[in-house]
Amino acid sequence: MKNILLFMVAFAMVSCVGAVKKESVALEKVDSLRKDSLAKVQAIEDSLALIAWGDTRFGMTKQEVMASKAFGGDKENVRKTGFDEYEMHFDKRFEFSQQNGLRELMDVRACFEENELNCVRLTSLERDASYLDDMIHDCYVFVEKFSKRYGEPYKLKEDVSILDFDEEPNLMVAEFLVGSKGISIILSQDKDEHEYKYEISITNYTFPRKKHKPTKEEIQSMKEADKLRKEVKENSF
């Protein structure tokens, strides 16, 4: 009887140990699947974060963006609009507005630093209050389009009206965060001119990745500034 009892106790212990091992293996499998799933989600997020606009990616050079389908197809069709900024060809910008029912979009620009694409900026015309509803309409079109691609915005201001500008001239309509990429939709009021405009900025804070190398002009300017500081210090008090 004693031997039977011992056998039963031993069997129960072995069964318990076996169950614990099985549970441990199961938990390890679940943890591994969870990590794999998170890794895949992160990979997708990282990939989306690199998209600037259409077929352009953050980090592209001016020459690459000028030759992209999004900004004109070749360098002949992209106008330089300022220092390190290029504007989308009119025909493409107009067609984009038509397809999406936009009413006030004026231009789409690619912005560079260290010859790396680090921002795409979309801006509206500057209009008086009679056009504010059209601008609000455009802002929510962008909210809808970005939401379909990236999910719900991090911040969202619903039911924007002219009264909102009594306290805040720069109104954040929506903000999206996709890994290292940020998308902001801002509606602004110029109180002096009594005009309104919106601006959509798509940026990635990890760009530019190259360190800045001062130009000859910048080096000369720094030398002159150092010389001035030295003169002021030596001839003060």
Side-chain angles (χ1 to χ4, degrees):
M1 183 70 180
K2 184 177 180 181
N3 290 336
I4 293 174
L5 183 60
L6 289 172
F7 174 79
M8 293 177 64
V9 171
F11 179 79
M13 292 177 65
V14 170
S15 298
C16 183
V17 170
V20 170
K21 286 184 177 180
K22 287 181 179 180
E23 184 177 356
S24 178
V25 170
L27 289 173
E28 287 179 1
K29 287 183 178 180
V30 170
D31 187 55
S32 178
L33 290 171
R34 183 181 64 82
K35 288 180 178 179
D36 289 344
S37 178
L38 289 174
K40 289 178 181 178
V41 170
Q42 185 63 50
I44 293 172
E45 188 175 86
D46 291 343
S47 178
L48 290 173
L50 290 176
I51 297 172
W53 186 263
D55 61 339
T56 63
R57 300 292 183 270
F58 291 107
M60 276 186 169
T61 65
K62 299 171 193 175
Q63 294 74 18
E64 289 171 332
V65 172
M66 289 167 69
S68 69
K69 293 179 181 178
F71 279 85
D74 58 59
K75 66 180 182 180
E76 303 301 325
N77 289 330
V78 183
R79 293 189 293 116
K80 184 174 181 179
T81 57
F83 182 73
D84 277 353
E85 287 190 358
Y86 292 90
E87 184 177 356
M88 180 183 290
H89 187 258
F90 171 81
D91 290 345
K92 288 185 178 290
R93 194 269 300 161
F94 181 77
E95 180 61 28
F96 170 73
S97 294
Q98 290 291 102
Q99 288 184 10
N100 293 282
L102 299 173
R103 302 168 183 172
E104 297 297 325
L105 181 64
M106 179 177 67
D107 64 21
V108 182
R109 298 188 183 192
C111 309
F112 300 84
E113 188 175 343
E114 301 302 316
N115 199 24
E116 293 183 36
L117 178 63
N118 70 333
C119 177
V120 172
R121 189 170 291 117
L122 300 89
T123 55
S124 73
L125 295 163
E126 295 183 5
R127 300 279 209 173
D128 61 39
S130 64
Y131 291 90
L132 182 58
D133 285 345
D134 287 338
M135 293 191 176
I136 293 172
H137 164 270
D138 282 9
C139 286
Y140 285 119
V141 167
F142 282 109
V143 170
E144 178 187 1
K145 297 298 182 181
F146 285 130
S147 294
K148 285 182 178 179
R149 184 157 199 180
Y150 301 115
E152 293 301 310
Y154 172 69
K155 293 180 181 179
L156 177 63
K157 169 69 175 175
E158 297 180 338
D159 302 321
V160 174
S161 76
I162 195 169
L163 300 177
D164 292 315
F165 296 95
D166 291 341
E167 298 180 359
E168 179 54 63
N170 298 308
L171 193 65
M172 177 70 78
V173 178
E175 185 176 11
F176 295 81
L177 297 176
V178 187
S180 54
K181 178 167 71 176
I183 302 171
S184 62
I185 301 173
I186 297 175
L187 189 56
S188 303
Q189 178 195 52
D190 185 329
K191 291 186 179 294
D192 295 330
E193 299 295 332
H194 304 289
E195 291 182 330
Y196 298 83
K197 69 175 183 179
Y198 64 76
E199 180 174 292
I200 293 93
S201 295
I202 307 168
T203 60
N204 187 310
Y205 69 81
T206 64
F207 293 91
R209 292 179 174 175
K210 291 193 293 285
K211 290 184 178 180
H212 177 64
K213 293 182 179 180
T215 62
K216 292 181 179 179
E217 292 78 11
E218 289 173 333
I219 292 172
Q220 182 61 33
S221 179
M222 287 187 287
K223 286 181 178 179
E224 291 175 358
D226 288 340
K227 182 180 179 181
L228 176 61
R229 281 193 292 268
K230 186 178 180 180
E231 287 179 356
V232 171
K233 184 176 182 181
E234 290 177 347
N235 295 281
S236 300
F237 302 103

